Each structure stands twice: as structure tokens, then as C-alpha cells.
Amino acid sequence: MSSPIKRVLKVFVWLVGFLVVILGCLWGYVQLRWDAPVSRPVTELTAPSDSASIEWGKEIFTYRSHCWTCHQAQFSAEYTTPSGGMLFDLTEIGPGFGKWYSRNLTPDMETGLGGWTDGEIVRALREGLRKDGTPLFPVMPIDWYHGMADDDALAVVAYLRTLPPVEHKVPERQPSFPAKALFTFGVMGPKPAVTKPIVAPPRGVTAEYGKYLSNNLADCADCHTPRDLQDGHFFVDQMFAGSSFPFGGGDEGPILAHARNISPDVETGIGSWSEEDFLAAVTTGMRPDSTVLAPIMPYSLYKFWDEDDLRAIYAYLKSIPAVSRTTPALGFEPRLTDARGAERGELIFQSRCRTCHGDKGLGALPTNVHLADVLPSLDDTDLTEFIQNGQLNLRMPAFGKTLNESELTDLIAYLRTIETPDQAAGDPESN
Ligand code: HEC
Ligand code: HEC
Ligand code: HEC
């Protein structure tokens, strides 16, 4: 071999070796640094303990920010103690962000928030830092809770302190390499420190209060604003123009729904809706065209709000810039489109009825009537009509424009198979 070729080869080998070392260092650096604790003083705050504050905290936790829907052990329509562990599988979104689990919010000392101060819990919500200073992943709407008022955040803490401690160690989070890299280089990570008290605008039917509710207290902005799926940033110049990815699927039922454009654009948003149209959609799930919203839009919880608060949100949404943006139509998982008969009926029930009626019709927050107890008194014709027409005064939506005849037939075939727990256990007293 002549020596110039040898020299070129040598340089090449060196270069490759150098690159491997650099990449190895970078890889190691990201692995070590991504969740390096941020040292930042915690503002000392003290949660109140009076019953009115606890009650308000419970309302925020249950119906406004509905923290519990994420902080359950697994998806359930029934309110369960927030002992955490629900999986958020983000391996398919953007570059793939890995698997994340909600945390145990009960006052258990070892596995929950028992050892956290009130200020540390508020900091987790508003700044995205754990007690030990490690960063939280923004599955939780930290971008928006950043503006949550002291009184509201502390009321939630007051409520959390009243829960029974549940010992439940949730699985370790499994971030992907891209997620770790985004944290390491500061693209994702904690929000700026909140150093001054935050006070909510006065409660009333004003755009200002509506803005606070929809952005910082309830999760409307979090679901309804498009984000950059590569790094999770929200496009704040397109507020409320619809989500960038569909919600639902998996345990939540086989329907995939994009949060729609609710900016005041007439063509693609809700610019042509009256206040009545808006209130009906947000509290009963009924759109002006009489179709029913997929329950991933938590209308079954919003019906418990004081109506004036929803009016405030309407006033705010009217005041923001209209953005023209269309979101894709509903998607259906193959397990739904492939199923037939009562099996399909069960999936329809799961994705359309369960948020209000609970698993197997055993009840949930909006109604705790046991369907198995009332169904025998309705024949198939009455039942079909009932589901088609709903009972709007009781906030049971009318599904006539949403489910076709064959879907209704399958749904009823499923409803006829459900039993009360007594019947299932063979209790001779019930039949
Ligand atoms: C959309 C789902 C979602 C909502 C809504 C949500 N959280 Fe979370 N929360 C999470 C996830 C997921 C984590 C864990 C993130 C991680 O491991 O990086 C978390 C972490 C936390 C932590 C940190 C606890 C710890 O041990 O590290 C606290 C405290 C918390 N949430 C409280 C709340 C409260 C209070 C609310 C309502 C005001 C709320 N969350 C709403 C999903 C959510
Ligand atoms: C967990 C995510 C989520 C949250 C939180 C949420 N939405 Fe939605 N919203 C959706 C989804 C998904 C749809 C579309 C459902 C469908 O297409 O059937 C929707 C639809 C709507 C619609 C109907 C729009 C149309 O054109 O049909 C309105 C109005 C609406 N949401 C308002 C709100 C308001 C106001 C809030 C806060 C109080 C809110 N949403 C909170 C996910 C959410
Ligand atoms: C937004 C909540 C909600 C959804 C979604 C919903 N329901 Fe209901 N439903 C109710 C409420 C509230 C009642 C009234 C029950 C009561 O008396 O408390 C009711 C009543 C009923 C009844 C009659 C019970 C009786 O007392 O006679 C049947 C049957 C029923 N629903 C079936 C369904 C089916 C099937 C679906 C899905 C296609 C569905 N519901 C979806 C809230 C809902």
C-alpha cells in the first residue's frame, strides 16, 4: 500500500473515532443531566383549612381542572382517589417522548405528597418542579397552571390534605432519548419562578375572568391550542384554534377526537354560535347541529359549573383573534370498526355513555342510577327512542343524530347483557 492512501485512511479512522467519542460524551451528558435538580427557593405558602376553601379546592380538583381524571391509577369514569399511576404513552407523538405516569397526590408519606410542604405542591403545579427540584414533563398543563392564582392553588392543596393517604408507588417514568435531550438543552423544562403573589381577576361575567378560567384554571387552552409536536411548545398566536393531535383511544375508548377550533372564526371556529349554543355544547355536549361531542371533551363535568363562569369564558372566546384552521374529523380505532353486535355495542357504550353512566352502567359522577335496574322497564322501542331523544333537562344528550340505527341496535344488544353486581353475584333477592 502506498503511503498517501495509508495516511488518508489513518485520518479517516481518527475522524470516525473522534465523532464516536463526541457522540458518546453527548449521550452520556444527556443521560446524566436531563433531570438534574434545579436549585431554586420555594416560596413559603400556607394552605387554608376552613371548609369553604376545602370545598372550592374540591370543586377545582373535580370539575374545573379535573386533576383527578389524570391522577387516577388507570382510566375510570368513576371518581377515584388520586393515587396516581395512569400511563401517558407518548411514544407515537412527535419524535416519541416515552412513557410517563401521573403521580400519587394523596398525603401518603412515602409514595404521595405527605412529605411535601404546601409551597412545594404549588411550585410543582406552577413551575413544573418536584420537591427535589427535578423537572416535571408537561403532560400536566404546567404552561397554563403557571398563571394559577395563589388562593386557587392553595385551595386545591387544602383539599388534597383531606384525602385518605393511599400507599401506591407509581412506575418510574421512561423518557425517550429525544425527551431527555429537550430537557437537557432547556427546550423543555421548568417555567420561570413565580416570585410574586398571583391574584385572580374578580369573579364575574367578564372576558378577563373568562380568560383566567379557560387558560389558567380549567384546561380549555391546554387541549384546544395547537402545539409544535416536535418540542411541545404551544402556538400562542393561534389560541384555541384546535389541538394538533387527537385525544382518546386506548383505555379511554375507541374514538379519536381532535379538540376543535373554538376561536371566533365563522367558518372553522365557533364564530357563528350564540351564547346559548355555546352553553348547550359545553354543558350537555349537544352541538347546534344536534350531534353529540365525544366525551373526551369533559362536558359531563362542566355541567356542574356555575353558569356565569361559562358565560365569562364565552365572553373571552368572543374577544380573541379568529384563526382559520380546520381539525380532522373523528377517527375510530379498528377494534370499533371491525366489531359487530353486542361486542360493538360495548365499545360504543365505552366511548359514548361511560363517562356519565360508569363501567357496566354502575354509575359515575353525573348520574349514579344503575342502568341494569331501570332497563327491564323499557322495551327495545322505548329504549331506542329514549337514547335518540335524550333527556336534556337532566343533561342526558340526544343521540339521534350521532348513532345510526345499526349502532343503536348493537348498543341495545350490549345494554341487555349488563347486570347489577347483585345479579352478577347470583343474589336470589334480585332478578
Ligand atoms: C393532563 C393530565 C394531568 C392533569 C390535568 C393534571 N396532572 Fe398533575 N401530573 C400529571 C403527570 C403525568 C405528572 C407526572 C409528570 C412527570 O413524571 O414528569 C403529574 C405530576 C403532578 C405533581 C408532582 C407530584 C410528584 O410526585 O412528582 C403534582 C403535585 C400534580 N401533578 C398535581 C396536580 C394537580 C393539583 C392538578 C390539577 C390542578 C393536576 N396535577 C392536573 C398529569 C396531570
Ligand atoms: C381533555 C381535552 C379537552 C378539554 C380540557 C376541553 N376540551 Fe373542548 N373539546 C375537546 C375535544 C376533543 C372536542 C371535540 C369533540 C368531538 O369532535 O366530538 C372538543 C370540543 C369542544 C367544543 C365544540 C366545538 C365544535 O365546533 O363542535 C367546544 C365549544 C369546547 N370544546 C369548549 C371547551 C371549553 C370552553 C373548555 C374548558 C372549559 C374545553 N372545551 C375543554 C377536548 C377538550
Ligand atoms: C352527559 C352525561 C350522559 C351521557 C353521555 C349519557 N347519559 Fe344516559 N343519562 C344521563 C342522566 C343524567 C340520566 C338521568 C338519570 C337519572 O335519573 O339520574 C340518564 C338516563 C339514561 C337512561 C334512563 C335511566 C332511567 O332512569 O330511566 C338510559 C337508558 C340511558 N341514560 C342510557 C344512555 C346511553 C345508552 C348512553 C350512551 C349512548 C347515555 N345514556 C349517555 C346522562 C348521560
Side-chain angles (χ1 to χ4, degrees):
M1 219 190 281
S2 72
S3 73
I5 293 188
K6 242 183 179 170
R7 236 187 352 249
V8 169
L9 256 180
K10 222 172 167 178
V11 169
F12 182 71
V13 166
W14 269 102
L15 269 180
V16 169
F18 186 66
L19 210 69
V20 166
V21 169
I22 291 278
L23 286 179
C25 287
L26 205 65
W27 184 84
Y29 182 73
V30 166
Q31 296 294 350
L32 283 175
R33 295 294 303 171
W34 80 272
D35 64 346
V38 173
S39 74
R40 183 189 277 185
V42 181
T43 309
E44 275 319 315
L45 296 165
T46 307
S49 54
D50 62 291
S51 57
S53 302
I54 293 172
E55 207 40 50
W56 176 234
K58 181 180 181 183
E59 183 166 339
I60 296 173
F61 192 87
T62 315
Y63 303 114
R64 307 251 170 175
S65 317
H66 45 85
C67 322
W68 68 277
T69 52
C70 287
H71 282 276
Q72 322 179 61
Q74 65 220 8
F75 179 83
S76 159
E78 227 178 312
Y79 180 96
T80 52
T81 310
S83 60
M86 193 157 130
L87 167 66
F88 294 84
D89 186 345
L90 307 183
T91 44
E92 302 283 324
I93 291 191
F97 292 110
K99 293 183 177 170
W100 302 82
Y101 301 87
S102 68
R103 312 274 309 168
N104 184 345
L105 301 185
T106 73
D108 184 60
M109 283 307 280
E110 295 303 319
T111 61
L113 300 179
W116 294 42
T117 64
D118 297 347
E120 282 167 348
I121 299 177
V122 173
R123 187 179 73 158
L125 281 179
R126 299 202 296 205
E127 300 177 35
L129 289 171
R130 284 183 171 160
K131 179 182 173 64
D132 62 7
T134 55
L136 288 164
F137 189 80
V139 178
M140 183 155 75
I142 299 160
D143 290 69
W144 309 101
Y145 292 166
H146 189 56
M148 195 186 287
D150 292 14
D151 284 353
D152 291 332
L154 287 168
V156 174
V157 175
Y159 169 65
L160 290 175
R161 300 296 195 202
T162 68
L163 296 173
V166 178
E167 191 185 333
H168 179 224
K169 193 163 165 35
V170 310
E172 279 303 319
R173 43 199 194 167
Q174 299 159 35
S176 66
F177 183 76
K180 287 179 178 172
L182 289 169
F183 271 106
T184 308
F185 300 110
V187 181
M188 275 185 182
K191 307 301 300 170
V194 177
T195 52
K196 292 200 191 93
I198 302 180
V199 180
R203 201 164 172 180
V205 186
T206 61
E208 192 197 9
Y209 189 61
K211 177 180 183 183
Y212 172 71
L213 282 178
S214 64
N215 293 6
N216 306 121
L217 196 62
D219 308 332
C220 323
D222 187 66
C223 280
H224 279 276
T225 303
R227 51 205 303 189
D228 182 340
L229 294 183
Q230 293 310 311
D231 64 14
H233 275 98
F234 284 93
F235 294 118
V236 287
D237 55 342
Q238 296 178 39
M239 287 293 289
F240 296 101
S243 65
S244 312
F245 58 89
F247 292 87
D251 288 346
E252 291 178 68
I255 296 185
L256 301 164
H258 281 75
R260 299 191 178 204
N261 183 344
I262 55 170
S263 81
D265 186 58
V266 173
E267 296 299 324
T268 62
I270 60 167
S272 65
W273 291 26
S274 67
E275 186 183 62
E276 287 311 307
D277 292 339
F278 176 79
L279 293 176
V282 174
T283 60
T284 68
M286 300 293 304
R287 283 202 189 87
D289 68 359
S290 299
T291 57
V292 184
L293 292 168
I296 194 79
M297 160 68 196
Y299 64 87
S300 64
L301 300 175
Y302 297 158
K303 76 171 199 176
F304 291 95
W305 289 28
D306 186 318
E307 206 169 76
D308 275 353
D309 289 350
L310 292 168
R311 290 207 166 90
I313 293 186
Y314 179 74
Y316 166 59
L317 290 175
K318 277 286 189 191
S319 76
I320 63 172
V323 182
S324 171
R325 181 172 181 273
T326 312
T327 50
L330 290 188
F332 303 96
E333 288 182 346
R335 62 185 161 129
L336 178 63
T337 43
D338 292 350
R340 294 289 173 267
E343 199 193 320
R344 182 167 74 141
E346 182 169 7
L347 290 165
I348 294 171
F349 184 84
Q350 235 188 50
S351 51
R352 289 286 182 189
C353 323
R354 183 178 48 165
T355 37
C356 291
H357 287 289
D359 283 326
K360 299 190 165 41
L362 288 170
L365 276 177
T367 168
N368 45 30
V369 76
H370 282 195
L371 281 187
D373 290 337
V374 296
L375 288 173
S377 63
L378 292 162
D379 66 23
D380 285 3
T381 316
D382 291 344
L383 190 52
T384 307
E385 271 178 22
F386 183 82
I387 299 171
Q388 282 174 327
N389 301 327
Q391 204 163 20
L392 286 178
N393 56 337
L394 291 174
R395 305 249 160 83
M396 153 92 189
F399 287 93
K401 287 267 165 55
T402 306
L403 298 173
N404 64 30
E405 245 170 72
S406 101
E407 287 167 330
L408 279 167
T409 307
D410 289 351
L411 176 61
I412 289 170
Y414 166 68
L415 291 174
R416 295 297 179 204
T417 69
I418 63 178
E419 298 176 316
T420 61
D422 290 348
Q423 288 164 342
D427 183 341
E429 291 291 301
S430 69
N431 46 46

PDB file of all heavy atoms in Angstrom, residues 1 123 135 148 196 380:
ATOM      1  N   MET A   1       0.847  -1.204   0.000  1.00  0.00           N
ATOM      2  CA  MET A   1       0.000   0.000   0.000  1.00  0.00           C
ATOM      3  C   MET A   1       0.882   1.254   0.000  1.00  0.00           C
ATOM      4  O   MET A   1       1.849   1.325   0.744  1.00  0.00           O
ATOM      5  CB  MET A   1      -0.880  -0.006   1.256  1.00  0.00           C
ATOM      6  CG  MET A   1      -2.277   0.507   0.960  1.00  0.00           C
ATOM      7  SD  MET A   1      -3.189   0.760   2.451  1.00  0.00           S
ATOM      8  CE  MET A   1      -3.694  -0.896   2.864  1.00  0.00           C
ATOM      9  N   ARG A 123     -45.572  24.931  43.806  1.00  0.00           N
ATOM     10  CA  ARG A 123     -44.462  25.100  42.859  1.00  0.00           C
ATOM     11  C   ARG A 123     -44.497  24.012  41.775  1.00  0.00           C
ATOM     12  O   ARG A 123     -44.240  24.278  40.600  1.00  0.00           O
ATOM     13  CB  ARG A 123     -43.113  25.057  43.593  1.00  0.00           C
ATOM     14  CG  ARG A 123     -41.950  25.393  42.667  1.00  0.00           C
ATOM     15  CD  ARG A 123     -40.616  25.378  43.367  1.00  0.00           C
ATOM     16  NE  ARG A 123     -40.175  24.023  43.677  1.00  0.00           N
ATOM     17  CZ  ARG A 123     -38.902  23.687  43.898  1.00  0.00           C
ATOM     18  NH1 ARG A 123     -37.964  24.618  43.874  1.00  0.00           N
ATOM     19  NH2 ARG A 123     -38.573  22.448  44.172  1.00  0.00           N
ATOM     20  N   PRO A 135     -37.287  18.175  37.148  1.00  0.00           N
ATOM     21  CA  PRO A 135     -38.374  18.751  36.342  1.00  0.00           C
ATOM     22  C   PRO A 135     -39.500  17.768  36.062  1.00  0.00           C
ATOM     23  O   PRO A 135     -39.282  16.561  35.979  1.00  0.00           O
ATOM     24  CB  PRO A 135     -37.668  19.123  35.033  1.00  0.00           C
ATOM     25  CG  PRO A 135     -36.547  18.154  34.923  1.00  0.00           C
ATOM     26  CD  PRO A 135     -36.100  17.845  36.322  1.00  0.00           C
ATOM     27  N   MET A 148     -51.852  30.230  37.668  1.00  0.00           N
ATOM     28  CA  MET A 148     -52.929  29.948  38.630  1.00  0.00           C
ATOM     29  C   MET A 148     -52.754  30.809  39.883  1.00  0.00           C
ATOM     30  O   MET A 148     -51.655  30.932  40.416  1.00  0.00           O
ATOM     31  CB  MET A 148     -52.940  28.457  39.011  1.00  0.00           C
ATOM     32  CG  MET A 148     -54.218  28.023  39.706  1.00  0.00           C
ATOM     33  SD  MET A 148     -54.182  26.302  40.312  1.00  0.00           S
ATOM     34  CE  MET A 148     -54.327  25.371  38.812  1.00  0.00           C
ATOM     35  N   LYS A 196     -43.937  36.558  42.790  1.00  0.00           N
ATOM     36  CA  LYS A 196     -44.914  37.499  43.367  1.00  0.00           C
ATOM     37  C   LYS A 196     -46.257  36.802  43.497  1.00  0.00           C
ATOM     38  O   LYS A 196     -46.559  35.894  42.723  1.00  0.00           O
ATOM     39  CB  LYS A 196     -45.089  38.702  42.436  1.00  0.00           C
ATOM     40  CG  LYS A 196     -43.870  39.585  42.343  1.00  0.00           C
ATOM     41  CD  LYS A 196     -44.276  40.974  41.831  1.00  0.00           C
ATOM     42  CE  LYS A 196     -43.054  41.793  41.464  1.00  0.00           C
ATOM     43  NZ  LYS A 196     -42.698  41.675  40.048  1.00  0.00           N
ATOM     44  N   ASP A 380     -87.388  -2.509  23.794  1.00  0.00           N
ATOM     45  CA  ASP A 380     -86.384  -2.024  22.844  1.00  0.00           C
ATOM     46  C   ASP A 380     -86.814  -0.743  22.129  1.00  0.00           C
ATOM     47  O   ASP A 380     -86.002   0.154  21.902  1.00  0.00           O
ATOM     48  CB  ASP A 380     -86.049  -3.111  21.809  1.00  0.00           C
ATOM     49  CG  ASP A 380     -85.174  -4.203  22.427  1.00  0.00           C
ATOM     50  OD1 ASP A 380     -84.896  -4.110  23.643  1.00  0.00           O
ATOM     51  OD2 ASP A 380     -84.782  -5.132  21.695  1.00  0.00           O
TER      52      ASP A 380
END
